[in-house]
Amino acid sequence: MTQIFAHRGYSASFAENTLRAFIEAEKAGADGLELDVQLTKDREIVVIHDEKVDRTTNGTGFVKNLLYKDLRKLNANKKSSKMEPIPALSEVFEWLSTNKLLCNIELKNGLIPYKGMEEKIIQLIHQYQLVDRIIISSFNHYSIVYSYSLAPEIETAPLFLEGIYMPWVYSQSIGAKGIHPKFSAISDEIIKRTIENGIAVRPYTVNKEVDLQRLFNIKCTALITDDPAKALKIRKQYEKRP
Ligand code: G3P
Ligand code: CA
């Protein structure tokens, strides 16, 4: 059965990358979460997509220039007055200890290298005993390889914007057990051959019914969607099929 990962949490209906969006994804029945991480000035791993807080909060400036205590005062639920702080990754892990969700951590270290980010995340994963429930992904494949060299027991998956030739060969060469391609940049044939070669395929960000159906139909490993409730409803139609 194709697993459903909630992209930035249940971001179709709740403020992205907030604890609320994660809790609602779990309530909706998602199998896992996808979230993005950056590093504050005092080196706290925080869950936010952009390098700057401007788009998603009522604040301004780079995450790397803010102290965690100041960043916590910002409201990541910009469209509402109801306060939702930017979560620390440790806070999300604390909550993950109360359920069985999988969690895909996307390292947003392509533009800002955030030296030492990999070590900090791996330490937290071990501290919260989440080794078997975490997938580390990134568009920064050097970081993926570095993470694997530090902790080969934690699954890694490179992210792709474009189709690449024989992605299973590439994944195997860097110790990655999965790939996270843009859904429109990978064909059914390549998805099937990648899975046959022992590599998990979790395309992003799949929101349209027709695209969700396509991936359920070919029994893709997982998919990453903004709307886990919608995806679950559609998946139900495929559950009874052989
Ligand atoms: O992890 C898949 C997807 O989240 C990558 O793109 O920009 O939504 O982080 P983006
Ligand atoms: Ca992401």
Side-chain angles (χ1 to χ4, degrees):
M1 193 172 59
T2 304
Q3 293 173 329
I4 294 167
F5 279 67
H7 183 240
R8 312 181 192 176
Y10 192 160
S11 60
S13 302
F14 302 92
E16 67 176 62
N17 283 323
T18 58
L19 213 49
R20 177 85 198 278
F22 303 145
I23 291 167
E24 295 295 338
E26 202 246 341
K27 277 195 207 158
D31 302 292
L33 306 172
E34 187 269 359
L35 54 82
D36 308 284
V37 290
Q38 311 262 355
L39 206 55
T40 63
K41 188 175 182 180
D42 48 347
R43 306 188 59 72
E44 182 77 35
I45 307 276
V46 288
V47 182
I48 179 168
H49 181 274
D50 301 357
E51 286 71 25
K52 292 176 98 172
V53 297
D54 303 43
R55 179 181 62 86
T56 55
T57 79
N58 54 349
T60 55
F62 282 94
V63 174
K64 71 175 174 67
N65 294 336
L66 287 164
L67 290 171
Y68 178 63
K69 72 172 175 49
D70 295 325
L71 176 132
R72 282 296 282 196
K73 293 176 192 150
L74 305 178
N75 190 358
N77 190 15
K78 211 177 172 177
K79 290 191 194 114
S80 154
S81 54
K82 193 175 175 310
M83 175 66 178
E84 296 283 349
I86 296 171
L89 184 62
S90 59
E91 201 180 357
V92 178
F93 280 4
E94 193 77 50
W95 172 72
L96 281 175
S97 309
T98 68
N99 59 57
K100 294 205 155 46
L101 284 185
L102 300 168
C103 180
N104 168 207
I105 301 170
E106 184 189 344
L107 275 51
K108 285 291 187 195
N109 53 1
L111 295 176
I112 300 168
Y114 293 130
K115 197 170 175 341
M117 180 188 237
E118 295 90 346
E119 283 87 344
K120 283 186 94 65
I121 290 172
I122 288 166
Q123 187 273 322
L124 270 182
I125 294 171
H126 282 128
Q127 186 185 328
Y128 285 87
Q129 300 181 339
L130 290 168
V131 168
D132 299 330
R133 291 165 56 196
I134 301 282
I135 303 145
I136 295 177
S137 69
S138 186
F139 285 106
N140 179 348
H141 296 189
Y142 290 92
S143 177
I144 288 295
V145 173
Y146 185 54
S147 299
Y148 180 74
S149 76
L150 293 172
E153 66 280 12
I154 301 170
E155 184 168 342
T156 52
L159 276 156
F160 298 109
L161 262 174
E162 308 280 353
I164 67 159
Y165 189 67
M166 296 205 289
W168 57 92
V169 174
Y170 176 65
S171 313
Q172 284 156 356
S173 77
I174 61 167
K177 294 196 174 59
I179 58 165
H180 292 188
K182 186 173 177 184
F183 79 93
S184 52
I186 189 160
S187 67
D188 291 0
E189 178 61 22
I190 298 297
I191 291 176
K192 285 181 196 161
R193 287 193 66 191
T194 306
I195 294 171
E196 277 162 21
N197 278 279
I199 301 294
V201 183
R202 303 183 191 90
Y204 70 91
T205 302
V206 194
N207 291 328
K208 285 195 191 137
E209 186 161 346
V210 62
D211 300 319
L212 290 159
Q213 280 170 340
R214 170 197 160 212
L215 296 169
F216 290 135
N217 204 25
I218 59 166
K219 299 186 171 62
C220 192
T221 317
L223 56 85
I224 301 172
T225 180
D226 293 332
D227 193 339
K230 176 180 175 179
L232 265 137
K233 214 168 144 192
I234 296 167
R235 189 174 73 181
K236 277 205 163 52
Q237 300 160 14
Y238 292 82
E239 278 170 7
K240 290 179 197 86
R241 295 190 189 180

